Amino acid sequence: MSSKEMSDFTQKLEAGLRIAEKRMLEEKALRNETVVVSTPEGGIQYLSARAVLASY
């Protein structure tokens, strides 16, 4: 696989992951669920999916 092919693949993969993450947050927000996020210090937080989606 050439460097350009690898770059194109990586871009498509990242775009697909962003779409999947947004859809997951939308579904969880509809059900008033929470999501687990990591803090920069390595801790974990439980946040409302609506709050995370609003800042997405």
Side-chain angles (χ1 to χ4, degrees), residues 8 13 49 51:
D8 290 344
L13 182 62

Side-chain angles (χ1 to χ4, degrees), residues 1-46:
M1 188 177 264
S2 73
S3 177
K4 177 163 177 20
E5 290 173 331
M6 183 63 87
S7 176
D8 290 344
F9 174 75
T10 303
Q11 288 175 353
K12 289 179 184 179
L13 182 62
E14 289 173 352
L17 289 172
R18 281 191 298 273
I19 291 168
E21 182 179 31
K22 186 172 182 187
R23 286 181 184 165
M24 182 266 306
L25 288 171
E26 290 170 344
E27 289 178 17
K28 285 186 169 285
L30 286 174
R31 294 188 297 250
N32 290 327
E33 295 181 348
T34 59
V35 293
V36 178
V37 295
S38 174
T39 64
E41 298 82 31
I44 58 170
Q45 287 183 328
Y46 297 90

